[in-house]
Amino acid sequence: INAEYGGLGTVTMAVRLDQQVLESFKTARVFKANTGPMNSIDFSSTGELCVTSGDDQLISVYNCIDGSHDKQLPAKKYGVDLVRFSHDDKSVIHASNVEWSDDIRYLSLHDLRYLRYFKGHRKKVVSIAMSPVTDHFTSGSLDGTVRFWDLRVPQCHGLIRVKGQRPVVAYDPNGEVFAAGFGDNCIKLYDVRKYDRGPVSYTHLRAHETPEHLVCRLLLEKKKKKHQTLNHNADKHRIMSALHRK
């Protein structure tokens, strides 16, 4: 937790999230800047900023330290969805929510200038994950491909063709492994350096656990060096061991 103390700057404290602490949480601030539903949310690597995108084609940035609405940026031309911070808090990548564009865009939040366009997907992009350690990111699309990108170049440097209809992707905190769900009742783990050789592990899910809007997040238990996947559907969360496939 980051806290501001007069004259001392920001102090970081470790707090154990036990039941008592969680029950003490309450709503501190409510923002009503958007005129339409929000479609994505992300936090900067430091946790100091939060960025959201909405169906009203607006990008909003919030300061998590003082609880203020920092800025709101229009994205009227291309629309905005799946907004993600890059490795700094001054730029984001995002997909579009307009029918005529399937590109991913790299946007400077400082001057609202697009730094790069990533073209390649032929249908709507439904999942984006930014590597936590490099300039690479991964995207999944309804065109049946998962593509790998570098922020510094506009062309993708690799892809996986999948049979699923709605792929989801996520990186582990070390950026060494990424998980992908392809709508085929299976979450697969890939080595980012050797993804073209196929998955290094996978875990099957029951049919009712892989709906159309599956969200996948990859976790890493550092002490045991065991990768886990977290999938979420409606009001249910499941943590599965990728090592033991259950």
PDB file of all heavy atoms in Angstrom, residues 14 23 30-31 36 46 51 79 82 84 115 123 137 141 146 152-153 186 197 221 234 236:
ATOM      1  N   ALA A  14       3.791  -2.856   3.769  1.00  0.00           N
ATOM      2  CA  ALA A  14       3.248  -4.181   3.498  1.00  0.00           C
ATOM      3  C   ALA A  14       2.112  -4.449   4.472  1.00  0.00           C
ATOM      4  O   ALA A  14       2.273  -4.302   5.685  1.00  0.00           O
ATOM      5  CB  ALA A  14       4.333  -5.236   3.645  1.00  0.00           C
ATOM      6  N   GLU A  23     -12.572  -6.958   5.232  1.00  0.00           N
ATOM      7  CA  GLU A  23     -13.895  -6.511   5.667  1.00  0.00           C
ATOM      8  C   GLU A  23     -13.903  -5.042   6.061  1.00  0.00           C
ATOM      9  O   GLU A  23     -14.971  -4.415   6.119  1.00  0.00           O
ATOM     10  CB  GLU A  23     -14.368  -7.367   6.840  1.00  0.00           C
ATOM     11  CG  GLU A  23     -14.717  -8.801   6.436  1.00  0.00           C
ATOM     12  CD  GLU A  23     -15.131  -9.649   7.626  1.00  0.00           C
ATOM     13  OE1 GLU A  23     -14.986  -9.161   8.771  1.00  0.00           O
ATOM     14  OE2 GLU A  23     -15.589 -10.785   7.408  1.00  0.00           O
ATOM     15  N   VAL A  30     -16.153   7.762  -5.801  1.00  0.00           N
ATOM     16  CA  VAL A  30     -16.950   7.310  -6.942  1.00  0.00           C
ATOM     17  C   VAL A  30     -16.804   8.330  -8.059  1.00  0.00           C
ATOM     18  O   VAL A  30     -16.962   9.532  -7.844  1.00  0.00           O
ATOM     19  CB  VAL A  30     -18.446   7.157  -6.572  1.00  0.00           C
ATOM     20  CG1 VAL A  30     -19.259   6.763  -7.798  1.00  0.00           C
ATOM     21  CG2 VAL A  30     -18.613   6.120  -5.464  1.00  0.00           C
ATOM     22  N   PHE A  31     -16.467   7.839  -9.253  1.00  0.00           N
ATOM     23  CA  PHE A  31     -16.296   8.720 -10.414  1.00  0.00           C
ATOM     24  C   PHE A  31     -17.418   8.450 -11.414  1.00  0.00           C
ATOM     25  O   PHE A  31     -17.743   7.296 -11.692  1.00  0.00           O
ATOM     26  CB  PHE A  31     -14.942   8.480 -11.074  1.00  0.00           C
ATOM     27  CG  PHE A  31     -13.772   8.741 -10.163  1.00  0.00           C
ATOM     28  CD1 PHE A  31     -13.163   7.701  -9.489  1.00  0.00           C
ATOM     29  CD2 PHE A  31     -13.288  10.024  -9.986  1.00  0.00           C
ATOM     30  CE1 PHE A  31     -12.087   7.934  -8.647  1.00  0.00           C
ATOM     31  CE2 PHE A  31     -12.215  10.273  -9.152  1.00  0.00           C
ATOM     32  CZ  PHE A  31     -11.614   9.224  -8.479  1.00  0.00           C
ATOM     33  N   GLY A  36     -21.072   6.177 -20.759  1.00  0.00           N
ATOM     34  CA  GLY A  36     -21.417   4.834 -21.187  1.00  0.00           C
ATOM     35  C   GLY A  36     -20.672   3.817 -20.344  1.00  0.00           C
ATOM     36  O   GLY A  36     -19.811   4.177 -19.531  1.00  0.00           O
ATOM     37  N   THR A  46       3.594   0.628 -11.302  1.00  0.00           N
ATOM     38  CA  THR A  46       3.806   1.093  -9.927  1.00  0.00           C
ATOM     39  C   THR A  46       2.536   1.038  -9.097  1.00  0.00           C
ATOM     40  O   THR A  46       2.586   1.148  -7.874  1.00  0.00           O
ATOM     41  CB  THR A  46       4.326   2.544  -9.930  1.00  0.00           C
ATOM     42  OG1 THR A  46       3.326   3.395 -10.520  1.00  0.00           O
ATOM     43  CG2 THR A  46       5.616   2.650 -10.710  1.00  0.00           C
ATOM     44  N   VAL A  51      -6.029   3.286 -15.547  1.00  0.00           N
ATOM     45  CA  VAL A  51      -6.590   3.763 -16.807  1.00  0.00           C
ATOM     46  C   VAL A  51      -7.811   2.914 -17.147  1.00  0.00           C
ATOM     47  O   VAL A  51      -7.826   1.702 -16.915  1.00  0.00           O
ATOM     48  CB  VAL A  51      -5.548   3.705 -17.943  1.00  0.00           C
ATOM     49  CG1 VAL A  51      -5.108   2.275 -18.238  1.00  0.00           C
ATOM     50  CG2 VAL A  51      -6.079   4.371 -19.217  1.00  0.00           C
ATOM     51  N   GLY A  79     -12.437   4.534 -31.576  1.00  0.00           N
ATOM     52  CA  GLY A  79     -13.001   3.852 -30.432  1.00  0.00           C
ATOM     53  C   GLY A  79     -11.901   3.253 -29.583  1.00  0.00           C
ATOM     54  O   GLY A  79     -10.723   3.303 -29.944  1.00  0.00           O
ATOM     55  N   LEU A  82      -9.978  -2.688 -24.340  1.00  0.00           N
ATOM     56  CA  LEU A  82      -8.803  -3.439 -23.878  1.00  0.00           C
ATOM     57  C   LEU A  82      -7.581  -2.543 -23.685  1.00  0.00           C
ATOM     58  O   LEU A  82      -6.485  -2.854 -24.126  1.00  0.00           O
ATOM     59  CB  LEU A  82      -8.470  -4.556 -24.884  1.00  0.00           C
ATOM     60  CG  LEU A  82      -9.575  -5.578 -25.149  1.00  0.00           C
ATOM     61  CD1 LEU A  82      -9.192  -6.504 -26.292  1.00  0.00           C
ATOM     62  CD2 LEU A  82      -9.868  -6.387 -23.891  1.00  0.00           C
ATOM     63  N   ARG A  84      -4.344  -0.986 -22.097  1.00  0.00           N
ATOM     64  CA  ARG A  84      -3.288  -1.537 -21.254  1.00  0.00           C
ATOM     65  C   ARG A  84      -2.128  -0.552 -21.170  1.00  0.00           C
ATOM     66  O   ARG A  84      -1.688  -0.018 -22.192  1.00  0.00           O
ATOM     67  CB  ARG A  84      -2.765  -2.870 -21.824  1.00  0.00           C
ATOM     68  CG  ARG A  84      -3.821  -3.953 -21.988  1.00  0.00           C
ATOM     69  CD  ARG A  84      -4.227  -4.554 -20.651  1.00  0.00           C
ATOM     70  NE  ARG A  84      -5.160  -5.651 -20.829  1.00  0.00           N
ATOM     71  CZ  ARG A  84      -6.487  -5.545 -20.793  1.00  0.00           C
ATOM     72  NH1 ARG A  84      -7.038  -4.349 -20.589  1.00  0.00           N
ATOM     73  NH2 ARG A  84      -7.264  -6.595 -20.941  1.00  0.00           N
ATOM     74  N   LEU A 115       1.619   6.715 -31.485  1.00  0.00           N
ATOM     75  CA  LEU A 115       3.022   6.464 -31.781  1.00  0.00           C
ATOM     76  C   LEU A 115       3.206   5.362 -32.816  1.00  0.00           C
ATOM     77  O   LEU A 115       4.182   5.365 -33.553  1.00  0.00           O
ATOM     78  CB  LEU A 115       3.757   6.072 -30.489  1.00  0.00           C
ATOM     79  CG  LEU A 115       3.622   7.067 -29.323  1.00  0.00           C
ATOM     80  CD1 LEU A 115       4.286   6.494 -28.075  1.00  0.00           C
ATOM     81  CD2 LEU A 115       4.240   8.406 -29.696  1.00  0.00           C
ATOM     82  N   LYS A 123     -10.106  -9.695 -37.710  1.00  0.00           N
ATOM     83  CA  LYS A 123     -11.380  -9.567 -37.002  1.00  0.00           C
ATOM     84  C   LYS A 123     -11.113  -8.934 -35.634  1.00  0.00           C
ATOM     85  O   LYS A 123      -9.965  -8.684 -35.273  1.00  0.00           O
ATOM     86  CB  LYS A 123     -12.069 -10.930 -36.847  1.00  0.00           C
ATOM     87  CG  LYS A 123     -12.582 -11.513 -38.153  1.00  0.00           C
ATOM     88  CD  LYS A 123     -13.355 -12.807 -37.918  1.00  0.00           C
ATOM     89  CE  LYS A 123     -13.890 -13.386 -39.221  1.00  0.00           C
ATOM     90  NZ  LYS A 123     -14.646 -14.643 -38.990  1.00  0.00           N
ATOM     91  N   PHE A 137       4.164  -7.619 -26.459  1.00  0.00           N
ATOM     92  CA  PHE A 137       2.805  -7.887 -25.993  1.00  0.00           C
ATOM     93  C   PHE A 137       2.161  -8.905 -26.910  1.00  0.00           C
ATOM     94  O   PHE A 137       2.648  -9.186 -28.013  1.00  0.00           O
ATOM     95  CB  PHE A 137       1.977  -6.599 -25.909  1.00  0.00           C
ATOM     96  CG  PHE A 137       1.633  -5.948 -27.223  1.00  0.00           C
ATOM     97  CD1 PHE A 137       0.435  -6.225 -27.861  1.00  0.00           C
ATOM     98  CD2 PHE A 137       2.499  -5.038 -27.812  1.00  0.00           C
ATOM     99  CE1 PHE A 137       0.102  -5.615 -29.065  1.00  0.00           C
ATOM    100  CE2 PHE A 137       2.179  -4.414 -29.012  1.00  0.00           C
ATOM    101  CZ  PHE A 137       0.980  -4.705 -29.638  1.00  0.00           C
ATOM    102  N   SER A 141      -7.506 -12.694 -31.233  1.00  0.00           N
ATOM    103  CA  SER A 141      -8.554 -12.125 -32.070  1.00  0.00           C
ATOM    104  C   SER A 141      -9.554 -13.187 -32.498  1.00  0.00           C
ATOM    105  O   SER A 141      -9.268 -14.391 -32.503  1.00  0.00           O
ATOM    106  CB  SER A 141      -7.918 -11.481 -33.317  1.00  0.00           C
ATOM    107  OG  SER A 141      -8.887 -11.183 -34.300  1.00  0.00           O
ATOM    108  N   VAL A 146      -3.452 -15.881 -32.365  1.00  0.00           N
ATOM    109  CA  VAL A 146      -2.787 -15.184 -31.270  1.00  0.00           C
ATOM    110  C   VAL A 146      -1.483 -14.644 -31.854  1.00  0.00           C
ATOM    111  O   VAL A 146      -0.683 -15.396 -32.402  1.00  0.00           O
ATOM    112  CB  VAL A 146      -2.498 -16.135 -30.091  1.00  0.00           C
ATOM    113  CG1 VAL A 146      -1.588 -15.461 -29.064  1.00  0.00           C
ATOM    114  CG2 VAL A 146      -3.797 -16.581 -29.440  1.00  0.00           C
ATOM    115  N   ARG A 152       8.207  -1.594 -30.626  1.00  0.00           N
ATOM    116  CA  ARG A 152       9.119  -0.797 -31.441  1.00  0.00           C
ATOM    117  C   ARG A 152       8.926  -0.992 -32.941  1.00  0.00           C
ATOM    118  O   ARG A 152       9.464  -0.231 -33.740  1.00  0.00           O
ATOM    119  CB  ARG A 152      10.563  -1.123 -31.057  1.00  0.00           C
ATOM    120  CG  ARG A 152      10.896  -0.746 -29.617  1.00  0.00           C
ATOM    121  CD  ARG A 152      12.161  -1.409 -29.125  1.00  0.00           C
ATOM    122  NE  ARG A 152      12.004  -2.854 -29.003  1.00  0.00           N
ATOM    123  CZ  ARG A 152      12.924  -3.663 -28.468  1.00  0.00           C
ATOM    124  NH1 ARG A 152      14.053  -3.155 -28.008  1.00  0.00           N
ATOM    125  NH2 ARG A 152      12.696  -4.965 -28.381  1.00  0.00           N
ATOM    126  N   VAL A 153       8.161  -2.011 -33.340  1.00  0.00           N
ATOM    127  CA  VAL A 153       7.945  -2.265 -34.772  1.00  0.00           C
ATOM    128  C   VAL A 153       6.463  -2.545 -35.015  1.00  0.00           C
ATOM    129  O   VAL A 153       5.780  -3.118 -34.154  1.00  0.00           O
ATOM    130  CB  VAL A 153       8.796  -3.449 -35.275  1.00  0.00           C
ATOM    131  CG1 VAL A 153      10.274  -3.117 -35.210  1.00  0.00           C
ATOM    132  CG2 VAL A 153       8.514  -4.701 -34.470  1.00  0.00           C
ATOM    133  N   CYS A 186      -9.597 -25.808 -22.723  1.00  0.00           N
ATOM    134  CA  CYS A 186      -8.214 -26.088 -22.378  1.00  0.00           C
ATOM    135  C   CYS A 186      -7.428 -24.782 -22.276  1.00  0.00           C
ATOM    136  O   CYS A 186      -7.551 -23.907 -23.130  1.00  0.00           O
ATOM    137  CB  CYS A 186      -7.583 -26.985 -23.447  1.00  0.00           C
ATOM    138  SG  CYS A 186      -5.925 -27.548 -23.051  1.00  0.00           S
ATOM    139  N   ARG A 197       7.093 -24.080 -30.649  1.00  0.00           N
ATOM    140  CA  ARG A 197       7.251 -25.514 -30.439  1.00  0.00           C
ATOM    141  C   ARG A 197       6.044 -26.133 -29.746  1.00  0.00           C
ATOM    142  O   ARG A 197       6.042 -27.327 -29.453  1.00  0.00           O
ATOM    143  CB  ARG A 197       8.508 -25.790 -29.617  1.00  0.00           C
ATOM    144  CG  ARG A 197       9.789 -25.301 -30.279  1.00  0.00           C
ATOM    145  CD  ARG A 197      11.005 -25.672 -29.446  1.00  0.00           C
ATOM    146  NE  ARG A 197      12.226 -25.131 -30.021  1.00  0.00           N
ATOM    147  CZ  ARG A 197      13.440 -25.302 -29.490  1.00  0.00           C
ATOM    148  NH1 ARG A 197      13.565 -26.016 -28.369  1.00  0.00           N
ATOM    149  NH2 ARG A 197      14.503 -24.770 -30.059  1.00  0.00           N
ATOM    150  N   GLU A 221       3.724 -18.747  -8.419  1.00  0.00           N
ATOM    151  CA  GLU A 221       4.038 -18.977  -7.019  1.00  0.00           C
ATOM    152  C   GLU A 221       5.549 -19.143  -6.932  1.00  0.00           C
ATOM    153  O   GLU A 221       6.102 -20.190  -7.246  1.00  0.00           O
ATOM    154  CB  GLU A 221       3.321 -20.236  -6.521  1.00  0.00           C
ATOM    155  CG  GLU A 221       3.389 -20.416  -5.018  1.00  0.00           C
ATOM    156  CD  GLU A 221       2.579 -21.615  -4.575  1.00  0.00           C
ATOM    157  OE1 GLU A 221       1.777 -22.119  -5.387  1.00  0.00           O
ATOM    158  OE2 GLU A 221       2.759 -22.039  -3.444  1.00  0.00           O
ATOM    159  N   ALA A 234     -18.353 -14.764 -14.480  1.00  0.00           N
ATOM    160  CA  ALA A 234     -19.446 -14.236 -13.656  1.00  0.00           C
ATOM    161  C   ALA A 234     -19.006 -14.131 -12.204  1.00  0.00           C
ATOM    162  O   ALA A 234     -18.086 -13.417 -11.900  1.00  0.00           O
ATOM    163  CB  ALA A 234     -20.676 -15.113 -13.822  1.00  0.00           C
ATOM    164  N   LYS A 236     -17.751 -16.583 -10.279  1.00  0.00           N
ATOM    165  CA  LYS A 236     -16.931 -17.716  -9.883  1.00  0.00           C
ATOM    166  C   LYS A 236     -15.465 -17.494 -10.251  1.00  0.00           C
ATOM    167  O   LYS A 236     -15.167 -16.993 -11.323  1.00  0.00           O
ATOM    168  CB  LYS A 236     -17.430 -19.001 -10.561  1.00  0.00           C
ATOM    169  CG  LYS A 236     -18.853 -19.393 -10.177  1.00  0.00           C
ATOM    170  CD  LYS A 236     -19.276 -20.654 -10.900  1.00  0.00           C
ATOM    171  CE  LYS A 236     -20.706 -21.036 -10.534  1.00  0.00           C
ATOM    172  NZ  LYS A 236     -21.144 -22.245 -11.262  1.00  0.00           N
TER     173      LYS A 236
END
